C-alpha cells in the first residue's frame, strides 16, 4: 500500500474565547491538516497544531517541512514500512507536530486499508476515556464559572488549572476559589508551563498544600536541573513532565534525574508510534502517564482518545480531551460529544472520523 501523495493544508478556525497560559495564548486554531494519499484512493488524515512558544513550529514551518523535507522521502514507501518511515522522520531533528501528524495520518491509512479502528490496532483496551478539562487564565470568577459549566453540561469532574502567573497569589487564589466552589469531590491539578522560579513554585505548592492537588506539571523551566530535582523531592504531589519530555531520551533523563515522577503523552507531538514508545518506556521505568492536550481540535482529540483508550495505563487517569469545546466550529462531519464526563472513541475504520469537505473549503487559508 504505497504512499502516492501528501498534502499539508493550512486552516484557521476561531476560538469562542482564547485559552491563556504561562507560555502563550491561543485565539485561533491555525493548524495544518495533513492528508496522506495511498494507492487505491485510500486517504489518511490528521492535524498538526503549531505551538511556537513550546516547540518552535509555526503553521508555515509545518507546511514547509512536510512539503520540502518529508513528503519527497515518504512518497513511494508503503504505509507498512514503519521503521523506514520513522528513519526518514528521525533524520530531521525537532518538528514534532509535523512528524506526529504524518505518523497518525499513515496509521489512519493502515486502519482504513485493514478495515480496523486504529485504537484496536494499537491495543484495544477500552472504548472511552474520562475527560479532564484545562482551565486557562482568567479572573477567579470566570475560571470557576467555566469549570462549573463543564461539570454541569458535560459531567466533567477533573480539572487541570493553568498556573505560572506573577504574583504567585493570582494562581493560588484561583485554585482556592475553584476548590471552594466545586467541593472536595472534583480532581484538581496544576500546570505552570515553566512560568515560575523554583522558589515561587515551592511557595505556591506550600500555599496550596491543603487543596488536595493530585498532580503538578512543568512549574519551572527544564534547565533548572537542580531546582526541579529539589522541588520534586520536597512535594508529595506527583510531578508531571510535559514539554520537557517529548522524546524517549528526554523522558528517561527527566525520570532518572528525579526531575519528574510522571509523563504527559500527547499524540499531537509524538503521534501514535512514538507515543507508544514513550508509554512502553514509562511502563518499563515504573512511571505513571497522563494523556495531555496540545490544544487540539476535534481531529487531534479523536487521535488522543483513540490512543489513550487503546492502553491500560493511558486510560487509567482522565485524559485532557475537552478544549475543542472552546472552538467556534470544527472540521468533522460528526462532532465529538462529551457526556457524563466521558469521551467515546469514534468507531469507524482508521482514526474513525471524517473531515467535512465543505467545512475544510470554508476554513482552509491557502485558496
Ligand atoms: C499543556 O499541557 O501545557 C499549552 C501549550 C502546549 O503546547 O500545550 C498546552 C497544554
Ligand atoms: Mg502542560
Amino acid at each position: 500500500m504505497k504512499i502516492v501523495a501528501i498534502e499539508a493544508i493550512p486552516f484557521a478556525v476561531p476560538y469562542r474565547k482564547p485559552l491563556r497560559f504561562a507560555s502563550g495564548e491561543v485565539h485561533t486554531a491555525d493548524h495544518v491538516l495533513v492528508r496522506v494519499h495511498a494507492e487505491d484512493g485510500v486517504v489518511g488524515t490528521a492535524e498538526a497544531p503549531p505551538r511556537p512558544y513550546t516547540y518552535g513550529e509555526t503553521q508555515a514551518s509545518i507546511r514547509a517541512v512536510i512539503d520540502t523535507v518529508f513528503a519527497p522521502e515518504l512518497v513511494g514507501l508503503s504505509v507498512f514500512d514503519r521503521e523506514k518511515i520513522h528513519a526518514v522522520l528521525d533524520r530531521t531533528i525537532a518538528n514534532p507536530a509535523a512528524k506526529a501528524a504524518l505518523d497518525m495520518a499513515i496509521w489512519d491509512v493502515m486502519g482504513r486499508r485493514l478495515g480496523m479502528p486504529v485504537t484496536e490496532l494499537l491495543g484495544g483496551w477500552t472504548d472511552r476515556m474520562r475527560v479532564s478539562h484545562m482551565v486557562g487564565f482568567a479572573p477567579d470568577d470566570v475560571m470557576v464559572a467555566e469549570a462549573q459549566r463543564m461539570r454541569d453540561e458535560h459531567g466533567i469532574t477533573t480539572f487541570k488549572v493553568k498556573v505560572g502567573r506573577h504574583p504567585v497569589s493570582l494562581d493560588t487564589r484561583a485554585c482556592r476559589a475553584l476548590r471552594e466552589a466545586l467541593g472536595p469531590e472534583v480532581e484538581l491539578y496544576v500546570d505552570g508551563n515553566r512560568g515560575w522560579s523554583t522558589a515561587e513554585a515551592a511557595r505556591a505548592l506550600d500555599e496550596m498544600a491543603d487543596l488536595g492537588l493530585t498532580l503538578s506539571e512543568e512549574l519551572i523551566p527544564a534547565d533548572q536541573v537542580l531546582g526541579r530535582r529539589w522541588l520534586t523531592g520536597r512535594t508529595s504531589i506527583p510531578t508531571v513532565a510535559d514539554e520537557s519530555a517529548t522524546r524517549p531520551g528526554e523522558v528517561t533523563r527527566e525520570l532518572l534525574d528525579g526531575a519528574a515522577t510522571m509523563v504527559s503523552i500527547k499524540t499531537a507531538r509524538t503521534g501514535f508510534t512514538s507515543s507508544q514508545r514513550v508509554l512502553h518506556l514509562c511502563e518499563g521505568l515504573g512511571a505513571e502517564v497522563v494523556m495531555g492536550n496540545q490544544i487540539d481540535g476535534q481531529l487531534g482529540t479523536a487521535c488522543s482518545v483513540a490512543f489513550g483508550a487503546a492502553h491500560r495505563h493511558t486510560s487509567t487517569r482522565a485524559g485532557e480531551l475537552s478544549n475543542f469545546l472552546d472552538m467556534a466550529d470544527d472540521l468533522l462531519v460528526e462532532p465529538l460529544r462529551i457526556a457524563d464526563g466521558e469521551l467515546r472513541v469514534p468507531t469507524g475504520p482508521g482514526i474513525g472520523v471524517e473531515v467535512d469537505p465543505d467545512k475544510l473549503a470554508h476554513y482552509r487559508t491557502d485558496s
Side-chain angles (χ1 to χ4, degrees), residues 11-15 18 25-31 50-51 295 327:
F11 66 92
V13 178
Y15 270 75
E25 53 187 65
V26 171
H27 296 257
T28 308
D30 52 353
H31 300 179
R51 299 287 166 252
I295 322 176
M327 288 167 64

Side-chain angles (χ1 to χ4, degrees), residues 19 21 23-24 26 51 53-55 134 160 162 191 193-194 217-218 242-243 264 266 269 292-295 320:
L19 179 69
F21 42 97
S23 54
V26 171
R51 299 287 166 252
Y53 30 76
T54 316
Y55 311 104
M134 202 153 61
K160 167 155 116 174
K162 287 299 195 182
D191 180 2
N193 289 112
R194 301 158 281 135
E217 180 171 315
E218 299 286 2
D242 174 15
E243 58 265 42
S264 174
K266 293 182 174 176
R269 69 168 174 233
N293 182 333
Q294 208 150 289
I295 322 176
E320 296 160 12

Side-chain angles (χ1 to χ4, degrees), residues 20 91 236:
R20 298 195 163 91
R91 211 153 51 207
S236 60

Side-chain angles (χ1 to χ4, degrees), residues 70-324:
F70 296 134
E73 298 289 325
L74 294 175
V75 168
L77 291 180
S78 163
V79 292
F80 296 105
D81 284 338
R82 295 180 47 210
E83 282 293 293
K84 288 187 186 137
I85 288 168
H86 281 274
V88 167
L89 298 178
D90 289 349
R91 211 153 51 207
T92 299
I93 64 157
N95 295 286
K99 292 175 182 173
L102 283 166
D103 175 72
M104 293 189 289
I106 289 170
W107 272 89
D108 194 30
V109 172
M110 290 195 279
R112 287 169 188 270
R113 173 76 176 80
L114 298 170
M116 296 265 302
V118 161
T119 196
E120 286 185 35
L121 295 173
L122 288 167
W125 173 254
T126 180
D127 64 352
R128 68 193 72 188
M129 284 188 77
R130 279 189 305 118
V131 173
S132 163
H133 183 72
M134 202 153 61
V135 183
F137 296 162
D140 293 356
D141 57 334
V142 176
M143 293 171 75
V144 166
E146 177 179 340
Q148 283 171 329
R149 184 167 60 80
M150 288 295 152
R151 185 186 56 185
D152 298 345
E153 290 179 14
H154 300 283
I156 297 174
T157 55
T158 303
F159 298 95
K160 167 155 116 174
V161 187
K162 287 299 195 182
V163 298
R165 287 179 285 187
H166 300 95
V168 163
S169 57
L170 279 175
D171 294 323
T172 55
R173 226 183 40 214
C175 289
R176 192 163 298 282
L178 283 159
R179 175 57 80 207
E180 280 167 6
L182 299 168
E185 299 307 324
V186 304
E187 177 176 349
L188 291 181
Y189 59 104
V190 290
D191 180 2
N193 289 112
R194 301 158 281 135
W196 284 330
S197 67
T198 307
E200 286 170 324
R203 197 165 73 242
L205 289 177
D206 287 350
E207 277 178 34
M208 296 190 290
D210 60 330
L211 296 185
L213 300 177
T214 53
L215 307 173
S216 88
E217 180 171 315
E218 299 286 2
L219 298 185
I220 67 175
D223 285 351
Q224 301 294 314
V225 178
L226 292 181
R228 280 169 78 115
R229 198 184 292 171
W230 176 77
L231 197 62
T232 300
R234 79 188 278 284
T235 172
S236 60
I237 303 172
T239 306
V240 182
D242 174 15
E243 58 265 42
S244 64
T246 63
R247 294 178 284 113
E250 289 176 341
V251 169
T252 311
R253 263 201 305 271
E254 287 299 293
L255 293 174
L256 295 190
D257 250 12
T261 52
M262 282 181 59
V263 171
S264 174
I265 296 182
K266 293 182 174 176
T267 50
R269 69 168 174 233
T270 34
F272 295 136
T273 305
S274 298
S275 292
Q276 218 164 36
R277 289 178 180 161
V278 167
L279 169 63
H280 293 158
L281 174 62
C282 289
E283 287 174 344
L285 291 169
E288 249 193 280
V289 298
V290 58
M291 285 306 295
N293 182 333
Q294 208 150 289
I295 322 176
D296 304 305
Q298 293 198 22
L299 179 52
T301 304
C303 292
S304 289
V305 73
F307 184 89
H311 310 92
R312 186 152 58 102
H313 289 136
T314 46
S315 55
T316 309
R317 304 192 61 83
E320 296 160 12
L321 300 165
S322 57
N323 285 81
F324 69 83

